[in-house]
Amino acid sequence: MSKRLFSIFLFLIISISLNAQRVSYEELAFRSQIPTIFISDLILPGENGKTTLAFTFRFNNDFLPYKKIPLQNNLNVPADAEFYTTIRLNTEVFEGSSKKRNPASMKSASRDAWTDTLFVSNYEETQSDKIYASGSLTTNLEPGTYNYVLQLTMMQERKERNTQRRNIRLPDLSKKETGEVILVRNVEQSGNQQSLRLMNMEENVPFGEDFYALIRIPNYTADSPYQLVINEAKTSRRDTTDGKNIHTQDISHDDIFLESTVALQKGSNPSLLLSQNGQPYTYAVVKVPHKTFENAAYLLNVLKSEDDNPVAKLFFKSYWPDMPASLFNLNIAIDMLKYIVSDEELKRIRSGSTEEKEQKFREFWNSKDPTPETVYNELMAEFYRRVDYAYAEFGSQEDPLGHESDQGEVYIKYGPPNSVDRLFPSDNKVREVWEYDNRTFVFEASSGFGDFVLVGTR
C-alpha cells in the first residue's frame, strides 16, 4: 500500500517522528495548520485472474468547504443541520505507463466515481479534524502497467482539481513472491467471514491505539514458523532501514486463513471482507500492541523460519493528530526547554549526535511522566501545547514570536491564569493583570500593537 496525493493542492503529512532537519518553529507552526487528507491505493485479488486496484480516502472536515444551508433548498437536510458540503472524487485509469518524455496513453482502461453530501450542526464541526468523509473507488484489471489520475470537485466547483498522472504496476497476486500488509482498525466476525475495517490513514496508525495487520503470505507452509517483527525505522534522505527491535511475536495457526481471498466492501467506512472460499491465497490477521509503542516510525517485517528475506513488509508511523508543532522537530523541542531547565542542563541535552540528543530528551520527559505505565506523557504534551498557544496568542505585528514575549513565557511556565483583568489608567498605558492561586503578574502595553511587558509581580 502506498500513498498517492494531489500534488497540485495538497501537502505531504508532516512526519510525527522527532527529527533533526533544519527548520524554523514558525514554519512548523504553519505546517501544523494545513488540513490533512488521506488517500491510499490497495492491490487486491480480483475476479477471473484479474487484479483489483482500489483507492480509499478520508477527507477531514477542516479540509472541506462548508456553506450555510439556504432556506430554500432541495437537499435532504437532517433536522439539526446548519451547514453542508458536496464532494466528488473521480478516478480514470489508462493503459501503459506515463513517461516524462513521451505522452501518456489516452486509452482508458476504467473509470469510477464517488460522491457525497455532508451535513454538520454548527460552525465548530466544519473546522474539525475528528469528523470526516471517507469512501473508496475500485476497478478490476488484467495484470500489467497502468497510469491513473484522480480528480476532485467540491461544492459544485466548475473546474476539477487533478493529480499528476501516476504509474502503477498491477501484479498477478497468485504468482507474486512477496506479500502485502494492510493496516486494519478493527475486526468483526461475520459468519465464516472476517470483516476488516481499514485504518484508511495511508501508512499511519493513531498514536496509543492497537491495530491489526492483514498479511498475504505467499507460498505458505504450515510446518514452518512465521514471526511478525517490528523495528524502529531509521530514515535518511536515501533510504529507510531497520533500527532497534520494538516487538516480536509468533504468528499462530489461529491467525492463518488458508484458501482465502479479500474483497473491498464499499461504504462510508471502507472495509475488506476476508473469506475462506477455496481461492489460492493465504492471509494472516495479527493484532499489534501499538498502544505500547513510542510516537515514532517503524518497519514491520514478516519472517519465515531460516529465511532472511521478509515474506512481507510495511513502513508505518504513529499518528498524533493533535501533536504540538513545537514537538515536530527535535532541536526545536529541546530549545523550548529553556523555560523550565537551567542553562547548564539545556547545554547537556543539546550536545552529542542526533541519537544521543533524542535519548536525553526522552529520558528528561520520561523522568517527569505522571503516567509511566502508558506511552502518552500528559505533562510533556501540555508543556508543548502551551508553547504553541503562546506563539499564536501573544505575538504582535512588531514581534510575532509570542512564545518569546513576557506574557508567553509566563503562560508557558504557569499555564492559563485564573483571571485576566485589563486596566486603563490615566497615563494611557494599558495594563493586564493575571491572577494565579499564589501569584499575580502585571503587564503593561509598550506599544499600540499588542506588545505587553512584565512590569511587576506580587
Side-chain angles (χ1 to χ4, degrees), residues 196-247:
L196 314 174
R197 182 181 170 189
L198 296 175
M199 189 63 69
N200 199 17
M201 297 173 63
E202 294 176 5
E203 77 276 30
N204 299 282
V205 177
F207 175 45
E209 294 184 16
D210 292 343
F211 69 93
Y212 292 85
L214 172 68
I215 308 155
R216 186 180 67 84
I217 303 180
N219 305 316
Y220 175 76
T221 52
D223 56 349
S224 296
Y226 291 80
Q227 282 190 324
L228 183 144
V229 179
I230 297 178
N231 299 326
E232 284 187 350
K234 299 174 66 175
T235 58
S236 65
R237 292 183 179 180
R238 295 183 178 181
D239 199 5
T240 300
T241 57
D242 289 286
K244 180 178 67 175
N245 178 254
I246 299 300
H247 176 74

Side-chain angles (χ1 to χ4, degrees), residues 340-366:
I340 57 174
V341 303
S342 66
D343 291 343
E344 183 178 347
E345 174 70 355
L346 186 61
K347 183 178 180 180
R348 183 190 72 84
I349 298 174
R350 280 175 172 164
S351 64
S353 65
T354 298
E355 291 76 13
E356 291 169 337
K357 288 190 289 185
E358 180 172 344
Q359 181 179 352
K360 287 182 283 187
F361 176 81
R362 291 188 183 275
E363 288 174 350
F364 172 84
W365 282 111
N366 287 341

Side-chain angles (χ1 to χ4, degrees), residues 83-292:
F83 296 86
Y84 83 105
T85 189
T86 61
I87 182 170
R88 177 183 176 89
L89 184 66
N90 304 332
T91 181
E92 185 160 13
V93 182
F94 302 89
E95 294 182 359
S97 62
S98 174
K99 299 180 181 179
K100 291 183 178 180
R101 296 184 178 181
N102 298 322
S105 166
M106 296 302 294
K107 187 175 181 180
S108 178
S110 72
R111 295 186 181 94
D112 199 7
W114 170 88
T115 61
D116 202 1
T117 301
L118 309 175
F119 299 93
V120 295
S121 58
N122 54 60
Y123 176 77
E124 288 71 25
E125 290 183 350
T126 70
Q127 304 301 303
S128 174
D129 60 0
K130 307 291 190 301
I131 306 173
Y132 54 84
S134 63
S136 61
L137 298 165
T138 141
T139 183
N140 201 38
L141 296 168
E142 296 285 350
T145 301
Y146 298 87
N147 69 91
Y148 67 85
V149 63
L150 299 174
Q151 302 170 322
L152 179 67
T153 308
M154 298 183 290
M155 290 302 292
Q156 291 86 43
E157 292 173 326
R158 294 183 178 180
K159 188 174 181 180
E160 296 173 331
R161 309 182 188 203
N162 296 348
T163 66
Q164 293 179 341
R165 290 201 180 203
R166 303 278 184 172
N167 295 326
I168 191 166
R169 173 71 182 174
L170 300 186
D172 181 346
L173 292 183
S174 65
K175 300 177 181 178
K176 186 169 178 278
E177 294 295 322
T178 56
E180 305 77 44
V181 181
I182 299 175
L183 299 172
V184 172
R185 187 177 296 273
N186 57 50
V187 177
E188 293 182 0
Q189 188 71 32
S190 177
N192 62 350
Q193 299 175 317
Q194 298 267 342
S195 179
L196 314 174
R197 182 181 170 189
L198 296 175
M199 189 63 69
N200 199 17
M201 297 173 63
E202 294 176 5
E203 77 276 30
N204 299 282
V205 177
F207 175 45
E209 294 184 16
D210 292 343
F211 69 93
Y212 292 85
L214 172 68
I215 308 155
R216 186 180 67 84
I217 303 180
N219 305 316
Y220 175 76
T221 52
D223 56 349
S224 296
Y226 291 80
Q227 282 190 324
L228 183 144
V229 179
I230 297 178
N231 299 326
E232 284 187 350
K234 299 174 66 175
T235 58
S236 65
R237 292 183 179 180
R238 295 183 178 181
D239 199 5
T240 300
T241 57
D242 289 286
K244 180 178 67 175
N245 178 254
I246 299 300
H247 176 74
T248 298
Q249 70 185 81
D250 293 331
I251 298 177
S252 73
H253 291 294
D254 292 338
D255 299 327
I256 299 296
F257 294 82
L258 300 171
E259 298 183 344
S260 300
T261 191
V262 292
L264 184 68
Q265 294 181 292
K266 290 193 173 184
S268 57
N269 292 302
S271 301
L272 295 177
L273 193 64
L274 173 60
S275 306
Q276 289 185 283
N277 55 3
Q279 297 297 311
Y281 305 105
T282 298
Y283 283 92
V285 179
V286 183
K287 187 172 184 178
V288 180
H290 180 251
K291 66 172 58 175
T292 65

